[in-house]
Amino acid sequence: MMKHKLFYFFDYDQKRNGLILVALMFVASLLELVSLGLILPIAGLFLETPNIQNNIFIKNFSYLFDIPHGNLILYLLLFFLIFYIIKILFLVFVNWSEQKFLTSFAEKTSSKFFLNYISQSFSFFAKRNSAEFLRNLTTEIQQFSAYLNSFSKLLLESLITIVLFIFLIFLSPITTISLFIIFFIFSIIYLKLFTGKLRDWGEQRQENTKKRIQFMQEGFGSVKDIKLLGREKFFFDKFKFHNINLAEVLFKIGFVNRLPRLITELFFAFVIIFVFLVLYKSESNIGEIITLMTIYVIAAFKIIPSSNRIIASIQTLKFNSPAINTLYFEAKNFKILNDIKKQNFAFNENIIINVENFRYSKDSKFDLKNIKFEIKKGEKIGIIGPSGSGKSTLIDILSGILKPEKGDIKVDKKTIYSNLRGWQNLIGYIPQKIFILDDSLRNNIIFGFDKNKIDEKILSKLLNKINLSQLLERLPKGLDNKLGEKGLNISAGEIQRIGIARALIYNPTILFLDEATSSLDTFTERQILKELNQFEDKTFISVAHRINTLKNCDKIYRLDKGTIIDSGNFEKFNNF
């Protein structure tokens, strides 16, 4: 099951590169075997082990290079050094390939996830906490990468260990097999003790990471209120609670990951003593005993780190498995939204609104129902009503951000859902709260729009029209001056005008004003409304809770509890 989830994230090229990496690891394990095997004839020559001259490798080596017996050991040492250098260079290449594969996978996966997130419908975000998205894009993908890293280590170290065990079996079958069985049983018992706990700790890490990000966002997002009310301790305590829990989990996994090294070193100390006693009791030649002991000791120096990494890798796989499950579930639930390339959408006559029913969720008590009216091109329409009456929800439906369960929005008798992107390209949207990028004034106005399509003269004319020229003169670098996070150094009116410029820069046909001036003082609101009235060729749809804001509207609709209860002109509502 986990293998299926794991391979779900790999494309064809990644699977191919993964197989190449496995092949490289197999070659690396064989090189480790050969490097260990070369020690046997060298040690035998040093210790003058009986029959060492009959060793197949020594006979072939001396014959191939025509080496006199007196110089044989020097040539073998030189050959061993050259081979070892080649082996190290190859292992460096394997490590480079492994890291390249892992970092490339992490980059592609995080990019793919971010693209999928921002491509989802608005309702997808309305039901979730953004801390969860941030956690998945950062921590969980890092944990996924750590999972793959541990998997590759497990594979490489397992291959090396298996090859070395096979080599040792040829030297001393009974001793090696006995030791392997004992070590295997020991490893299984050790891992069984922690398997369940590791998975639980992984889930605890996920939850505490998410909450920690959430409380950081809330703290930084409401820093002005926190300072004014002196609520630093409240937000700090919320953050600290999950920070301590996360530290506790990381402490546990860190401690457990270090245990195998200490335990395996102790185990192999007993192994060396055991092997020595077995060889000693066998009454073998002292040269053979020392040669075999040398091989076992050197093999132990290889196997001990490999065994540590194998056990630690298995533990890491268990600990990080919740990350795989989370990302797999997330990826499977992404809705693939068709990117319609056709940008054209005609609006020459009218918009027919027919929202029979809309509800955010089955559990929601609020719903829009029986919303039916017409907007002619060039009209200025106002929507008024108390808070929670459904004004902003109706704007979201008209703009295509939300879709009614029953009903339709038709423009010139054509449903907007046949080409939603084309319809939305006709819309300029000005919300109550303008999001300011920590970027230049230019990029805050363009907001990702194609810079090559922006005429500097038209931009300058627009800024003069909506009275942003004063801000432009005040900024040392003009349009290229950074505004800072949330635009803390500019006024509320200037922020709102940046939002208006952002909505008008690509010359939309329709303007949606969603409580666009409700947070401003009366004087600034009057100024901005006057500036907006200059754009007489636009169709306006304005949401407001103050009737004076809708003074220039041709028709006003009054909403209450999700339905239209009245309609008329400004004079009718102004007399209430």
Side-chain angles (χ1 to χ4, degrees):
M1 185 64 179
M2 185 57 72
K3 186 176 83 170
H4 170 74
K5 292 177 182 178
L6 195 63
F7 282 106
Y8 177 81
F9 293 92
F10 291 90
D11 58 27
Y12 174 79
D13 289 336
Q14 288 171 322
K15 288 176 181 176
R16 183 196 61 196
N17 292 336
L19 288 173
I20 293 171
L21 186 60
V22 171
L24 291 174
M25 289 178 177
F26 181 71
V27 174
S29 66
L30 292 178
L31 292 176
E32 290 284 6
L33 172 63
V34 174
S35 66
L36 185 62
L38 284 173
I39 296 171
L40 186 63
I42 293 172
L45 285 172
F46 263 116
L47 298 169
E48 296 183 352
T49 306
N51 300 320
I52 191 64
Q53 296 297 331
N54 296 323
N55 182 279
I56 296 174
F57 174 76
I58 290 178
K59 287 175 68 176
N60 290 332
F61 183 79
S62 58
Y63 175 77
L64 181 65
F65 296 102
D66 192 22
I67 302 168
H69 176 72
N71 296 329
L72 184 58
I73 194 164
L74 293 175
Y75 277 87
L76 273 174
L77 287 172
L78 180 62
F79 179 78
F80 178 78
L81 178 62
I82 294 169
F83 180 84
Y84 212 83
I85 291 170
I86 293 170
K87 185 197 80 168
I88 292 299
L89 290 174
F90 185 80
L91 289 176
V92 168
F93 174 68
V94 171
N95 285 330
W96 180 88
S97 301
E98 180 186 11
Q99 288 306 309
K100 184 73 174 174
F101 177 80
L102 293 172
T103 52
S104 174
F105 174 81
E107 181 276 318
K108 287 183 179 179
T109 305
S110 57
S111 296
K112 186 177 180 181
F113 262 75
F114 184 69
L115 178 61
N116 273 298
Y117 273 134
I118 61 174
S119 300
Q120 298 307 298
S121 65
F122 180 75
S123 58
F124 176 86
F125 295 94
K127 298 171 184 176
R128 307 274 294 275
N129 191 302
S130 61
E132 196 174 340
F133 307 138
L134 291 173
R135 181 202 65 188
N136 291 346
L137 282 168
T138 54
T139 309
E140 296 312 295
I141 288 178
Q142 285 176 0
Q143 297 300 125
F144 196 153
S145 184
Y147 185 99
L148 288 178
N149 189 28
S150 296
F151 184 80
S152 65
K153 280 182 181 177
L154 177 64
L155 187 61
L156 176 60
E157 302 301 339
S158 296
L159 285 171
I160 291 172
T161 304
I162 290 167
V163 166
L164 292 178
F165 265 117
I166 291 171
F167 175 72
L168 293 176
I169 285 171
F170 280 103
L171 291 178
S172 181
I174 297 173
T175 304
T176 303
I177 292 171
S178 300
L179 291 172
F180 175 77
I181 292 171
I182 293 169
F183 182 72
F184 181 76
I185 294 171
F186 156 76
S187 300
I188 293 296
I189 293 171
Y190 175 82
L191 290 170
K192 281 286 184 182
L193 289 174
F194 292 105
T195 297
K197 291 180 181 178
L198 287 165
R199 194 176 290 109
D200 291 341
W201 292 344
E203 291 171 356
Q204 290 171 28
R205 178 201 58 77
Q206 280 189 319
E207 182 62 21
N208 286 298
T209 301
K210 172 189 167 184
K211 288 295 182 182
R212 197 172 68 149
I213 293 171
Q214 177 186 330
F215 296 141
M216 282 193 285
Q217 285 181 300
E218 291 174 357
F220 295 137
S222 56
V223 68
K224 187 184 287 186
D225 298 321
I226 290 171
K227 290 294 166 190
L228 181 65
L229 300 171
R231 300 290 193 269
E232 290 90 347
K233 188 177 185 304
F234 171 75
F235 283 88
F236 172 70
D237 288 343
K238 287 169 69 177
F239 172 82
K240 187 178 181 181
F241 175 78
H242 291 283
N243 205 32
I244 290 172
N245 288 345
L246 180 60
E248 184 92 10
V249 169
L250 296 178
F251 159 73
K252 290 175 183 176
I253 185 62
F255 174 73
V256 169
N257 277 343
R258 282 165 176 77
L259 278 180
R261 182 179 66 83
L262 302 172
I263 296 171
T264 50
E265 283 184 14
L266 179 62
F267 177 81
F268 276 97
F270 282 107
V271 167
I272 298 300
I273 294 170
F274 174 75
V275 171
F276 181 79
L277 289 173
V278 169
L279 292 174
Y280 181 74
K281 290 290 184 181
S282 66
E283 299 180 354
S284 300
N285 177 277
I286 190 67
E288 291 179 353
I289 292 174
I290 294 174
T291 302
L292 287 172
M293 281 303 302
T294 302
I295 297 295
Y296 268 98
V297 169
I298 294 172
F301 275 108
K302 296 281 187 183
I303 293 173
I304 289 173
S306 292
S307 301
N308 293 336
R309 286 190 280 266
I310 287 170
I311 295 173
S313 295
I314 293 172
Q315 290 178 161
T316 303
L317 293 178
K318 294 293 182 183
F319 180 68
N320 289 329
S321 60
I324 312 296
N325 293 329
T326 296
L327 293 175
Y328 177 78
F329 178 79
E330 197 81 335
K332 291 290 284 185
N333 283 278
F334 281 139
K335 291 182 179 177
I336 300 172
L337 304 177
N338 295 322
D339 183 18
I340 300 171
K341 299 298 182 183
K342 295 180 180 179
Q343 302 294 316
N344 298 326
F345 196 100
F347 174 36
N348 299 310
E349 298 177 11
N350 61 3
I351 305 169
I352 303 295
I353 294 97
N354 179 20
V355 180
E356 294 181 36
N357 189 55
F358 172 82
R359 183 175 291 189
Y360 281 102
S361 66
K362 293 179 180 179
D363 300 327
S364 175
K365 294 181 180 179
F366 169 82
D367 61 347
L368 282 178
K369 51 188 180 298
N370 300 324
I371 306 290
K372 296 180 182 180
F373 61 97
E374 177 186 5
I375 301 171
K376 293 179 181 177
K377 185 173 183 181
E379 274 191 326
K380 293 178 172 58
I381 301 297
I383 301 170
I384 196 169
S387 296
S389 60
K391 304 185 299 297
S392 294
T393 302
L394 180 56
I395 286 288
D396 289 340
I397 291 173
L398 293 178
S399 63
I401 295 293
L402 298 175
K403 186 176 181 180
E405 297 169 33
K406 291 183 180 180
D408 201 358
I409 310 297
K410 289 188 177 180
V411 178
D412 293 354
K413 299 180 181 179
K414 182 181 178 182
T415 177
I416 64 171
Y417 304 108
S418 64
N419 183 3
L420 191 57
R421 181 72 267 151
W423 162 242
Q424 290 173 337
N425 284 346
L426 301 179
I427 295 171
Y429 177 67
I430 309 171
Q432 178 183 354
K433 188 175 181 180
I434 305 298
F435 184 81
I436 297 295
L437 303 171
D438 187 6
D439 207 331
S440 66
L441 174 60
R442 182 192 305 277
N443 287 337
N444 266 284
I445 293 170
I446 294 172
F447 205 69
F449 193 61
D450 188 351
K451 291 182 180 180
N452 297 323
K453 294 181 180 179
I454 302 296
D455 189 316
E456 290 292 319
K457 291 181 180 178
I458 293 175
L459 177 57
S460 179
K461 187 178 179 181
L462 173 62
L463 296 181
N464 285 325
K465 246 183 174 184
I466 60 174
N467 284 330
L468 267 178
S469 50
Q470 290 181 351
L471 171 63
L472 198 60
E473 291 170 6
R474 197 172 80 243
L475 297 173
K477 296 181 181 179
L479 278 168
D480 296 316
N481 202 96
K482 272 195 165 188
L483 300 182
E485 188 178 9
K486 298 182 182 178
L488 292 176
N489 299 318
I490 56 179
S491 69
E494 288 168 336
I495 289 175
Q496 208 64 28
R497 285 184 171 92
I498 289 170
I500 293 169
R502 185 184 292 170
L504 292 169
I505 190 63
Y506 54 91
N507 194 29
T509 305
I510 309 159
L511 273 180
F512 286 84
L513 282 70
D514 188 3
E515 308 260 14
T517 59
S518 62
S519 61
L520 303 175
D521 60 82
T522 306
F523 176 75
T524 307
E525 180 183 49
R526 193 180 297 122
Q527 276 189 316
I528 287 178
L529 289 174
K530 186 177 179 182
E531 292 156 10
L532 284 169
N533 286 331
Q534 298 175 81
F535 302 93
E536 296 178 352
D537 58 325
K538 312 291 182 190
T539 301
F540 280 78
I541 303 173
S542 304
V543 163
H545 63 267
R546 293 197 298 252
I547 188 63
N548 287 335
T549 307
L550 306 176
K551 188 174 183 179
N552 294 309
C553 287
D554 300 309
K555 196 166 186 179
I556 299 170
Y557 293 91
R558 185 181 175 193
L559 259 68
D560 193 16
K561 297 179 180 178
T563 190
I564 295 174
I565 60 171
D566 204 356
S567 63
N569 55 24
F570 173 75
E571 285 73 21
K572 176 179 178 180
F573 288 99
N574 194 40
N575 291 329
F576 283 166

PDB file of all heavy atoms in Angstrom, residues 53 71 80 176 195 201 264 324 435 461 546 552:
ATOM      1  N   GLN A  53      50.348 -18.521  -1.630  1.00  0.00           N
ATOM      2  CA  GLN A  53      50.838 -18.369  -2.998  1.00  0.00           C
ATOM      3  C   GLN A  53      49.925 -19.050  -4.014  1.00  0.00           C
ATOM      4  O   GLN A  53      49.965 -18.741  -5.208  1.00  0.00           O
ATOM      5  CB  GLN A  53      52.263 -18.952  -3.113  1.00  0.00           C
ATOM      6  CG  GLN A  53      53.311 -18.226  -2.283  1.00  0.00           C
ATOM      7  CD  GLN A  53      53.501 -16.785  -2.720  1.00  0.00           C
ATOM      8  OE1 GLN A  53      53.296 -16.468  -3.892  1.00  0.00           O
ATOM      9  NE2 GLN A  53      53.897 -15.917  -1.799  1.00  0.00           N
ATOM     10  N   ASN A  71      58.455  -8.346  -5.015  1.00  0.00           N
ATOM     11  CA  ASN A  71      57.752  -7.056  -5.180  1.00  0.00           C
ATOM     12  C   ASN A  71      56.226  -7.202  -5.192  1.00  0.00           C
ATOM     13  O   ASN A  71      55.516  -6.214  -5.380  1.00  0.00           O
ATOM     14  CB  ASN A  71      58.186  -6.374  -6.484  1.00  0.00           C
ATOM     15  CG  ASN A  71      59.655  -6.005  -6.453  1.00  0.00           C
ATOM     16  OD1 ASN A  71      60.204  -5.707  -5.387  1.00  0.00           O
ATOM     17  ND2 ASN A  71      60.298  -6.042  -7.625  1.00  0.00           N
ATOM     18  N   PHE A  80      45.582  -1.893  -4.611  1.00  0.00           N
ATOM     19  CA  PHE A  80      44.531  -1.665  -3.622  1.00  0.00           C
ATOM     20  C   PHE A  80      44.257  -0.170  -3.474  1.00  0.00           C
ATOM     21  O   PHE A  80      43.093   0.265  -3.413  1.00  0.00           O
ATOM     22  CB  PHE A  80      44.937  -2.255  -2.269  1.00  0.00           C
ATOM     23  CG  PHE A  80      43.934  -2.024  -1.174  1.00  0.00           C
ATOM     24  CD1 PHE A  80      42.786  -2.794  -1.090  1.00  0.00           C
ATOM     25  CD2 PHE A  80      44.128  -1.025  -0.227  1.00  0.00           C
ATOM     26  CE1 PHE A  80      41.851  -2.582  -0.089  1.00  0.00           C
ATOM     27  CE2 PHE A  80      43.200  -0.801   0.769  1.00  0.00           C
ATOM     28  CZ  PHE A  80      42.062  -1.580   0.848  1.00  0.00           C
ATOM     29  N   THR A 176      29.246 -17.065  10.569  1.00  0.00           N
ATOM     30  CA  THR A 176      28.578 -15.897   9.960  1.00  0.00           C
ATOM     31  C   THR A 176      27.063 -16.050   9.969  1.00  0.00           C
ATOM     32  O   THR A 176      26.341 -15.111  10.323  1.00  0.00           O
ATOM     33  CB  THR A 176      29.078 -15.690   8.521  1.00  0.00           C
ATOM     34  OG1 THR A 176      30.498 -15.544   8.540  1.00  0.00           O
ATOM     35  CG2 THR A 176      28.449 -14.457   7.905  1.00  0.00           C
ATOM     36  N   THR A 195       7.841   0.582  16.573  1.00  0.00           N
ATOM     37  CA  THR A 195       7.093   0.807  15.326  1.00  0.00           C
ATOM     38  C   THR A 195       5.818   1.620  15.540  1.00  0.00           C
ATOM     39  O   THR A 195       5.587   2.636  14.881  1.00  0.00           O
ATOM     40  CB  THR A 195       6.737  -0.543  14.656  1.00  0.00           C
ATOM     41  OG1 THR A 195       7.943  -1.215  14.305  1.00  0.00           O
ATOM     42  CG2 THR A 195       5.901  -0.314  13.403  1.00  0.00           C
ATOM     43  N   TRP A 201       4.140   9.278  16.852  1.00  0.00           N
ATOM     44  CA  TRP A 201       4.950  10.505  16.963  1.00  0.00           C
ATOM     45  C   TRP A 201       4.906  11.300  15.661  1.00  0.00           C
ATOM     46  O   TRP A 201       4.896  12.530  15.682  1.00  0.00           O
ATOM     47  CB  TRP A 201       6.401  10.143  17.305  1.00  0.00           C
ATOM     48  CG  TRP A 201       6.577   9.574  18.686  1.00  0.00           C
ATOM     49  CD1 TRP A 201       5.678   9.638  19.721  1.00  0.00           C
ATOM     50  CD2 TRP A 201       7.696   8.819  19.168  1.00  0.00           C
ATOM     51  NE1 TRP A 201       6.174   8.975  20.818  1.00  0.00           N
ATOM     52  CE2 TRP A 201       7.413   8.474  20.521  1.00  0.00           C
ATOM     53  CE3 TRP A 201       8.897   8.414  18.610  1.00  0.00           C
ATOM     54  CZ2 TRP A 201       8.299   7.739  21.300  1.00  0.00           C
ATOM     55  CZ3 TRP A 201       9.785   7.686  19.380  1.00  0.00           C
ATOM     56  CH2 TRP A 201       9.494   7.353  20.716  1.00  0.00           C
ATOM     57  N   THR A 264      24.413  -1.493  18.423  1.00  0.00           N
ATOM     58  CA  THR A 264      25.093  -2.337  17.428  1.00  0.00           C
ATOM     59  C   THR A 264      26.600  -2.391  17.684  1.00  0.00           C
ATOM     60  O   THR A 264      27.233  -3.425  17.444  1.00  0.00           O
ATOM     61  CB  THR A 264      24.829  -1.838  15.990  1.00  0.00           C
ATOM     62  OG1 THR A 264      25.102  -0.430  15.911  1.00  0.00           O
ATOM     63  CG2 THR A 264      23.412  -2.101  15.564  1.00  0.00           C
ATOM     64  N   ILE A 324       3.565  10.893   4.022  1.00  0.00           N
ATOM     65  CA  ILE A 324       3.205  10.280   2.738  1.00  0.00           C
ATOM     66  C   ILE A 324       1.689  10.138   2.637  1.00  0.00           C
ATOM     67  O   ILE A 324       1.088  10.461   1.614  1.00  0.00           O
ATOM     68  CB  ILE A 324       3.869   8.895   2.574  1.00  0.00           C
ATOM     69  CG1 ILE A 324       5.354   8.952   2.912  1.00  0.00           C
ATOM     70  CG2 ILE A 324       3.634   8.361   1.164  1.00  0.00           C
ATOM     71  CD1 ILE A 324       6.179   9.807   2.026  1.00  0.00           C
ATOM     72  N   PHE A 435      -5.180  43.471  -0.450  1.00  0.00           N
ATOM     73  CA  PHE A 435      -3.961  42.778  -0.052  1.00  0.00           C
ATOM     74  C   PHE A 435      -2.768  43.456  -0.712  1.00  0.00           C
ATOM     75  O   PHE A 435      -2.709  43.581  -1.933  1.00  0.00           O
ATOM     76  CB  PHE A 435      -4.009  41.304  -0.468  1.00  0.00           C
ATOM     77  CG  PHE A 435      -2.818  40.516   0.005  1.00  0.00           C
ATOM     78  CD1 PHE A 435      -2.769  40.040   1.299  1.00  0.00           C
ATOM     79  CD2 PHE A 435      -1.742  40.286  -0.839  1.00  0.00           C
ATOM     80  CE1 PHE A 435      -1.668  39.315   1.751  1.00  0.00           C
ATOM     81  CE2 PHE A 435      -0.642  39.571  -0.395  1.00  0.00           C
ATOM     82  CZ  PHE A 435      -0.599  39.093   0.905  1.00  0.00           C
ATOM     83  N   LYS A 461      -1.598  57.860 -16.640  1.00  0.00           N
ATOM     84  CA  LYS A 461      -2.900  58.529 -16.749  1.00  0.00           C
ATOM     85  C   LYS A 461      -3.887  57.975 -15.720  1.00  0.00           C
ATOM     86  O   LYS A 461      -4.650  58.726 -15.098  1.00  0.00           O
ATOM     87  CB  LYS A 461      -3.447  58.339 -18.172  1.00  0.00           C
ATOM     88  CG  LYS A 461      -4.715  59.117 -18.462  1.00  0.00           C
ATOM     89  CD  LYS A 461      -5.139  58.907 -19.910  1.00  0.00           C
ATOM     90  CE  LYS A 461      -6.445  59.665 -20.197  1.00  0.00           C
ATOM     91  NZ  LYS A 461      -6.895  59.453 -21.604  1.00  0.00           N
ATOM     92  N   ARG A 546     -23.959  51.122   3.561  1.00  0.00           N
ATOM     93  CA  ARG A 546     -24.412  52.508   3.714  1.00  0.00           C
ATOM     94  C   ARG A 546     -25.069  52.944   2.418  1.00  0.00           C
ATOM     95  O   ARG A 546     -24.452  52.886   1.354  1.00  0.00           O
ATOM     96  CB  ARG A 546     -23.234  53.434   4.044  1.00  0.00           C
ATOM     97  CG  ARG A 546     -22.621  53.183   5.408  1.00  0.00           C
ATOM     98  CD  ARG A 546     -21.754  54.360   5.843  1.00  0.00           C
ATOM     99  NE  ARG A 546     -20.626  54.598   4.968  1.00  0.00           N
ATOM    100  CZ  ARG A 546     -19.352  54.331   5.297  1.00  0.00           C
ATOM    101  NH1 ARG A 546     -19.075  53.802   6.484  1.00  0.00           N
ATOM    102  NH2 ARG A 546     -18.385  54.589   4.464  1.00  0.00           N
ATOM    103  N   ASN A 552     -25.178  57.006  -6.852  1.00  0.00           N
ATOM    104  CA  ASN A 552     -25.179  57.111  -8.314  1.00  0.00           C
ATOM    105  C   ASN A 552     -25.662  55.838  -9.014  1.00  0.00           C
ATOM    106  O   ASN A 552     -25.513  55.712 -10.228  1.00  0.00           O
ATOM    107  CB  ASN A 552     -23.769  57.451  -8.805  1.00  0.00           C
ATOM    108  CG  ASN A 552     -23.325  58.835  -8.350  1.00  0.00           C
ATOM    109  OD1 ASN A 552     -24.042  59.816  -8.532  1.00  0.00           O
ATOM    110  ND2 ASN A 552     -22.146  58.893  -7.736  1.00  0.00           N
TER     111      ASN A 552
END
